[in-house]
Amino acid sequence: MHADDYQADRGRYDSMTYRRCGASGLDLPALSLGLWHNFGDDVPLDRQRAILRRAFDRGVTHFDLANNYGPPYGSAERNFGTIFAQDFKRYRDELILSSKAGYDMWPGPYGQGGGSRKYLLASLDQSLQRMGVDYVDIFYSHRFDDTTPLEETLGALDTAVRQGKALYVGISSYSGERTAEAVRILRELGTPLLIHQPSYSMLNRWVEEDLLDTLGMNGVGCIAFSPLAQGMLTSKYLKGVPEGSRATQGKSLDPKLLTEETLKHLQALNRMAKKRGQTLAQFALSWVLRDQRVTSVLVGASSVEQLDDSLGALDNLDFTDDELKKIDKHAVDAGINLWAKSSNS
């Protein structure tokens, strides 16, 4: 594999499912690629390149980043920028690129995250420089910040659009109540809220309380992150915690969450998946997409094979009422919502 020799597959749009994002004019692929993990300096660039090429060849037009994705912070955007310049620059108008700011990023009082105008707009400038692009398609407030007026946070998003540095704006991990406020403020500013990015999976269903209703009523799209519950909804943990897994690396999955009760639920869900001819991961992804208010699901990928498995979920998105009732018995909260504090502020 060499840089500069990539020609995208001519049939890349033949089999992907696209969904309209809320009441906007924008379509997103039902499955989008997130660069939260596997695109930092701890992963060989050739492997990253192979995953990105495969994704685009299969119609995945949306790549989702954030300022502090890595490790180290900023490296996912920088690595993506290197590959973009060599492989994807000619396809820029076929891509949806997103970035976010909200968590700690650089030293000192102005880089510690939150929702200040200073932090958000400076972070966006840094992200554009790392990725080597003039604008992002979507710029997000990565979390609600109760120490900053919401008008200031959302005013910064509005400014990003008016400066031509973002086409659309989004929010992530905001509660239903805060989302309704954001919709109102942004509407008054003249930059409507395009999309919300919440954590959502079979083991983390908080969005069903009121957030999905709020999004649906206001014509806001939804893109779910961690739809595989930080890896729990894969075959990897059906018999416990294997060596080398995310749960052993001190990342986003605490092995204490893999209780005996949770494992029983996972094993039951896995049996249901097999009856549908799906892997557990495919089953979990298609379940999140059962609701038409969900525009897309974000998946990570450590290999081309893992990406292909996730894309297989799109082959079977239909569920019977009986299936959904059986799933509900085992799709129960597993205490994995790391973003609950931000969402409920």
Side-chain angles (χ1 to χ4, degrees), residues 67-84:
N67 57 355
N68 64 354
Y69 287 176
Y73 288 172
S75 60
E77 289 184 330
R78 175 169 41 77
N79 290 333
F80 174 79
T82 297
I83 297 169
F84 172 83

Side-chain angles (χ1 to χ4, degrees), residues 75 150-151 214 243 269 294 305 313 340:
S75 60
L150 193 52
E151 289 79 3
T214 298
E243 284 300 317
L269 292 169
V294 177
E305 292 74 22

Side-chain angles (χ1 to χ4, degrees), residues 24-260:
S24 76
L26 184 68
D27 290 328
L28 293 179
L31 189 146
S32 300
L33 182 63
L35 279 65
W36 179 15
H37 299 297
N38 305 307
F39 288 84
D41 288 348
D42 55 341
V43 174
L45 200 64
D46 277 353
R47 190 191 307 170
Q48 299 180 32
R49 187 189 306 278
I51 294 167
L52 289 166
R53 286 183 177 186
R54 181 63 170 172
F56 189 54
D57 281 345
R58 296 200 56 184
V60 177
T61 54
H62 181 206
F63 300 146
D64 180 77
L65 299 102
N67 57 355
N68 64 354
Y69 287 176
Y73 288 172
S75 60
E77 289 184 330
R78 175 169 41 77
N79 290 333
F80 174 79
T82 297
I83 297 169
F84 172 83
Q86 296 168 344
D87 287 359
F88 294 103
K89 194 169 186 178
R90 76 192 77 170
Y91 302 110
R92 176 64 183 96
D93 292 337
E94 298 183 40
L95 295 173
I96 299 296
L97 305 181
S98 60
S99 192
K100 316 176 202 71
Y103 294 98
D104 61 301
M105 182 60 195
W106 65 85
Y110 313 118
Q112 295 305 296
S116 75
R117 182 179 184 84
K118 168 72 173 175
Y119 168 69
L120 290 174
L121 293 178
S123 180
L124 176 56
D125 284 342
Q126 293 176 18
S127 292
L128 295 177
Q129 185 174 22
R130 282 189 292 267
M131 290 192 285
V133 296
D134 296 326
Y135 69 95
V136 290
D137 296 274
I138 308 170
F139 182 51
Y140 287 89
S141 164
H142 208 165
R143 68 177 178 91
F144 175 72
D145 175 16
D146 61 0
T147 69
T148 301
L150 193 52
E151 289 79 3
E152 178 177 343
T153 299
L154 300 176
L157 299 187
D158 174 67
T159 295
V161 171
R162 296 183 187 280
Q163 289 178 337
K165 296 176 181 178
L167 299 186
Y168 301 93
V169 299
I171 56 177
S172 179
S173 298
Y174 279 52
S175 68
E177 180 182 358
R178 296 301 186 187
T179 297
E181 287 183 56
V183 168
R184 175 184 58 79
I185 294 168
L186 283 167
R187 191 174 287 156
E188 290 173 356
L189 289 169
T191 298
L193 179 63
L194 173 78
I195 195 166
H196 188 299
Q197 186 174 136
S199 59
Y200 183 33
S201 71
M202 285 178 162
L203 304 182
N204 178 19
R205 301 177 63 171
W206 72 277
V207 302
E208 296 174 10
E209 295 171 12
D210 66 344
L211 180 59
L212 282 177
D213 287 339
T214 298
L215 299 178
M217 287 187 295
N218 288 285
V220 178
C222 176
I223 181 166
F225 76 88
S226 287
L228 300 181
Q230 289 94 268
M232 288 174 69
L233 289 165
T234 67
S235 58
K236 187 177 295 183
Y237 298 105
L238 290 173
K239 296 181 180 179
V241 182
E243 284 300 317
S245 64
R246 189 184 297 185
T248 66
Q249 296 173 6
K251 291 187 176 179
S252 56
L253 178 59
D254 187 340
K256 294 178 183 177
L257 297 174
L258 290 159
T259 63
E260 186 174 339

Side-chain angles (χ1 to χ4, degrees), residues 267-296:
Q267 290 159 0
L269 292 169
N270 187 55
R271 289 191 292 272
M272 293 182 212
K274 286 183 176 180
K275 288 182 179 179
R276 286 168 54 89
Q278 293 181 305
T279 64
L280 179 55
Q282 291 170 343
F283 183 57
L285 293 172
S286 58
W287 179 86
V288 172
L289 287 165
R290 79 198 185 286
D291 192 318
Q292 288 299 312
R293 292 171 298 185
V294 177
T295 313
S296 182

